[in-house]
Amino acid sequence: MTAPAARTGVRARTRAAILDAAAEVLTATPAASLGQIATAAEVGRTTLHRYFPERIDLLRALARHVTDLSSQAIVRAEPMGGTPSAALRRVVEGQFALGPILLFVYTEPSLAGDSALWDELERGADPVDAVLVRMREATGSALPLPWIRRTFWALLYAGWEAAKEDGTPRHELVDAIMTTLTRGVLPEPEPA
Protein backbone atom coordinates (compact mmCIF):
# COMPACT_ATOMS: atom_id res chain seq x y z
CA MET A 1 0.00 0.00 0.00
CA THR A 2 1.28 3.46 -0.92
CA ALA A 3 1.87 5.90 1.92
CA PRO A 4 -0.34 9.03 1.91
CA ALA A 5 2.68 11.34 1.49
CA ALA A 6 3.82 9.40 -1.58
CA ARG A 7 0.34 9.62 -3.11
CA THR A 8 0.28 13.34 -2.45
CA GLY A 9 3.70 13.75 -4.11
CA VAL A 10 2.59 11.79 -7.17
CA ARG A 11 -0.66 13.76 -7.34
CA ALA A 12 1.22 17.05 -7.07
CA ARG A 13 3.66 16.03 -9.82
CA THR A 14 0.84 14.84 -12.09
CA ARG A 15 -1.10 18.06 -11.52
CA ALA A 16 2.03 20.14 -12.23
CA ALA A 17 2.73 18.12 -15.40
CA ILE A 18 -0.80 18.78 -16.64
CA LEU A 19 -0.53 22.51 -15.91
CA ASP A 20 2.89 22.78 -17.53
CA ALA A 21 1.64 20.92 -20.60
CA ALA A 22 -1.46 23.13 -20.73
CA ALA A 23 0.75 26.24 -20.63
CA GLU A 24 2.88 24.96 -23.49
CA VAL A 25 0.03 23.66 -25.65
CA LEU A 26 -2.37 26.57 -25.12
CA THR A 27 0.23 29.22 -25.90
CA ALA A 28 0.85 27.52 -29.24
CA THR A 29 -2.78 26.57 -29.93
CA PRO A 30 -5.31 28.44 -27.74
CA ALA A 31 -8.20 26.24 -28.91
CA ALA A 32 -6.34 22.98 -28.20
CA SER A 33 -8.47 20.15 -26.88
CA LEU A 34 -8.15 18.58 -23.46
CA GLY A 35 -7.03 15.44 -25.29
CA GLN A 36 -4.10 17.32 -26.82
CA ILE A 37 -3.15 18.65 -23.38
CA ALA A 38 -3.41 15.17 -21.85
CA THR A 39 -1.14 13.79 -24.58
CA ALA A 40 1.42 16.54 -24.01
CA ALA A 41 1.31 15.86 -20.24
CA GLU A 42 1.74 12.14 -20.94
CA VAL A 43 -1.42 11.25 -19.02
CA GLY A 44 -4.68 9.74 -20.14
CA ARG A 45 -7.67 11.94 -20.73
CA THR A 46 -9.42 10.23 -17.82
CA THR A 47 -6.56 11.23 -15.54
CA LEU A 48 -6.77 14.82 -16.76
CA HIS A 49 -10.51 14.84 -16.04
CA ARG A 50 -9.88 13.50 -12.53
CA TYR A 51 -7.85 16.64 -11.83
CA PHE A 52 -9.87 19.06 -13.95
CA PRO A 53 -13.41 17.86 -14.72
CA GLU A 54 -14.13 20.69 -17.18
CA ARG A 55 -11.98 22.88 -19.42
CA ILE A 56 -12.81 25.94 -17.31
CA ASP A 57 -11.47 24.15 -14.21
CA LEU A 58 -8.17 23.62 -16.01
CA LEU A 59 -8.08 27.23 -17.22
CA ARG A 60 -8.71 28.61 -13.72
CA ALA A 61 -6.01 26.36 -12.27
CA LEU A 62 -3.68 27.41 -15.08
CA ALA A 63 -4.33 31.10 -14.30
CA ARG A 64 -3.42 30.47 -10.65
CA HIS A 65 -0.36 28.44 -11.70
CA VAL A 66 0.81 31.23 -14.00
CA THR A 67 0.32 33.78 -11.23
CA ASP A 68 2.49 31.60 -8.98
CA LEU A 69 5.15 31.44 -11.72
CA SER A 70 4.98 35.22 -12.05
CA SER A 71 5.38 35.66 -8.29
CA GLN A 72 8.34 33.27 -8.25
CA ALA A 73 9.97 35.23 -11.10
CA ILE A 74 9.54 38.44 -9.11
CA VAL A 75 11.14 36.90 -6.03
CA ARG A 76 14.08 35.67 -8.16
CA ALA A 77 14.45 39.19 -9.56
CA GLU A 78 15.13 40.50 -6.04
CA PRO A 79 12.97 43.63 -6.50
CA MET A 80 14.32 45.27 -3.35
CA GLY A 81 18.01 44.69 -4.21
CA GLY A 82 20.34 47.03 -6.07
CA THR A 83 19.28 50.28 -7.64
CA PRO A 84 15.57 50.80 -8.35
CA SER A 85 16.26 50.88 -12.10
CA ALA A 86 18.26 47.63 -12.04
CA ALA A 87 15.58 45.97 -9.90
CA LEU A 88 12.84 47.13 -12.28
CA ARG A 89 14.79 45.76 -15.26
CA ARG A 90 15.14 42.35 -13.56
CA VAL A 91 11.40 42.29 -12.86
CA VAL A 92 10.62 43.24 -16.48
CA GLU A 93 12.96 40.50 -17.77
CA GLY A 94 11.39 37.89 -15.48
CA GLN A 95 7.85 38.79 -16.47
CA PHE A 96 8.75 39.07 -20.14
CA ALA A 97 9.99 35.48 -20.10
CA LEU A 98 6.48 34.37 -19.08
CA GLY A 99 4.92 36.37 -21.91
CA PRO A 100 3.25 33.71 -24.02
CA ILE A 101 1.35 32.09 -21.17
CA LEU A 102 0.58 35.37 -19.39
CA LEU A 103 -0.72 36.72 -22.69
CA PHE A 104 -2.95 33.65 -23.05
CA VAL A 105 -4.31 33.91 -19.49
CA TYR A 106 -5.01 37.65 -19.75
CA THR A 107 -6.78 37.33 -23.10
CA GLU A 108 -8.69 34.06 -22.61
CA PRO A 109 -12.40 34.98 -23.01
CA SER A 110 -13.67 32.26 -20.68
CA LEU A 111 -11.60 33.73 -17.82
CA ALA A 112 -12.37 37.40 -18.52
CA GLY A 113 -15.69 37.48 -16.67
CA ASP A 114 -14.54 35.57 -13.58
CA SER A 115 -14.26 38.51 -11.18
CA ALA A 116 -13.59 36.29 -8.14
CA LEU A 117 -10.64 34.70 -9.92
CA TRP A 118 -9.23 38.09 -10.99
CA ASP A 119 -9.62 39.49 -7.46
CA GLU A 120 -7.64 36.51 -6.21
CA LEU A 121 -4.97 36.87 -8.90
CA GLU A 122 -4.52 40.60 -8.43
CA ARG A 123 -3.40 40.06 -4.85
CA GLY A 124 -0.15 38.79 -6.36
CA ALA A 125 0.67 42.27 -7.72
CA ASP A 126 2.16 43.52 -4.42
CA PRO A 127 5.81 42.63 -5.23
CA VAL A 128 5.53 44.44 -8.57
CA ASP A 129 4.02 47.41 -6.78
CA ALA A 130 6.97 47.45 -4.38
CA VAL A 131 9.53 47.87 -7.16
CA LEU A 132 7.32 50.41 -8.96
CA VAL A 133 7.04 52.44 -5.75
CA ARG A 134 10.85 52.31 -5.36
CA MET A 135 11.26 53.60 -8.90
CA ARG A 136 8.61 56.29 -8.42
CA GLU A 137 10.31 57.51 -5.26
CA ALA A 138 13.77 57.44 -6.89
CA THR A 139 12.55 59.56 -9.81
CA GLY A 140 10.26 61.84 -7.81
CA SER A 141 7.33 60.96 -10.05
CA ALA A 142 3.93 62.22 -8.95
CA LEU A 143 2.02 59.72 -11.08
CA PRO A 144 -0.42 57.58 -9.10
CA LEU A 145 0.64 53.98 -8.49
CA PRO A 146 -2.43 52.47 -10.21
CA TRP A 147 -1.48 54.35 -13.41
CA ILE A 148 2.15 53.22 -13.18
CA ARG A 149 1.05 49.61 -12.57
CA ARG A 150 -1.28 49.68 -15.58
CA THR A 151 1.46 51.19 -17.72
CA PHE A 152 3.91 48.49 -16.60
CA TRP A 153 1.54 45.67 -17.57
CA ALA A 154 0.42 47.40 -20.77
CA LEU A 155 4.04 47.75 -21.90
CA LEU A 156 4.72 44.10 -21.15
CA TYR A 157 1.59 43.18 -23.11
CA ALA A 158 2.77 45.34 -26.04
CA GLY A 159 6.18 43.68 -25.85
CA TRP A 160 4.68 40.18 -25.86
CA GLU A 161 2.54 41.08 -28.85
CA ALA A 162 5.54 42.57 -30.69
CA ALA A 163 7.58 39.44 -30.04
CA LYS A 164 4.75 37.24 -31.28
CA GLU A 165 3.65 39.29 -34.28
CA ASP A 166 6.82 41.08 -35.40
CA GLY A 167 9.52 38.72 -34.16
CA THR A 168 11.31 41.59 -32.43
CA PRO A 169 14.15 40.16 -30.33
CA ARG A 170 13.53 39.92 -26.60
CA HIS A 171 16.49 42.12 -25.58
CA GLU A 172 15.25 44.94 -27.84
CA LEU A 173 11.78 44.70 -26.36
CA VAL A 174 13.05 44.72 -22.77
CA ASP A 175 15.14 47.80 -23.65
CA ALA A 176 12.08 49.45 -25.22
CA ILE A 177 9.92 48.69 -22.17
CA MET A 178 12.56 50.08 -19.81
CA THR A 179 13.07 53.20 -21.93
CA THR A 180 9.34 53.82 -22.06
CA LEU A 181 8.91 53.24 -18.32
CA THR A 182 11.85 55.40 -17.29
CA ARG A 183 11.87 58.14 -19.94
CA GLY A 184 8.46 58.11 -21.55
CA VAL A 185 7.51 57.85 -25.18
CA LEU A 186 7.28 61.52 -26.01
CA PRO A 187 8.96 63.41 -23.18
CA GLU A 188 8.57 67.16 -23.25
CA PRO A 189 11.78 69.06 -23.93
CA GLU A 190 13.46 70.75 -21.00
CA PRO A 191 12.34 74.38 -20.70
CA ALA A 192 14.91 76.85 -22.01
Side-chain angles (χ1 to χ4, degrees), residues 142-156:
L143 291 173
L145 181 60
W147 177 255
I148 296 170
R149 182 188 316 117
R150 284 190 171 131
T151 302
F152 171 86
W153 289 110
L155 289 170
L156 278 166

Side-chain angles (χ1 to χ4, degrees), residues 114-151:
D114 193 337
S115 58
L117 175 68
W118 289 108
D119 288 346
E120 176 186 333
L121 298 181
E122 286 185 13
R123 285 186 231 126
D126 293 344
V128 169
D129 285 357
V131 75
L132 295 176
V133 166
R134 279 187 73 204
M135 194 66 186
R136 182 176 71 174
E137 289 171 354
T139 60
S141 173
L143 291 173
L145 181 60
W147 177 255
I148 296 170
R149 182 188 316 117
R150 284 190 171 131
T151 302

Side-chain angles (χ1 to χ4, degrees), residues 48-121:
L48 186 142
H49 280 290
R50 236 180 288 142
Y51 287 84
F52 307 105
E54 301 290 332
R55 182 181 181 85
I56 191 65
D57 299 319
L58 174 62
L59 294 177
R60 286 181 183 131
L62 180 61
R64 289 180 184 100
H65 178 66
V66 168
T67 300
D68 289 343
L69 293 174
S70 174
S71 296
Q72 291 167 20
I74 293 166
V75 169
R76 281 192 306 276
E78 298 180 31
M80 302 315 285
T83 66
S85 181
L88 179 60
R89 183 177 195 87
R90 290 190 306 269
V91 169
V92 167
E93 288 171 341
Q95 296 306 297
F96 197 85
L98 296 169
I101 190 56
L102 280 170
L103 188 58
F104 171 81
V105 166
Y106 285 117
T107 59
E108 171 55 34
S110 61
L111 296 175
D114 193 337
S115 58
L117 175 68
W118 289 108
D119 288 346
E120 176 186 333
L121 298 181

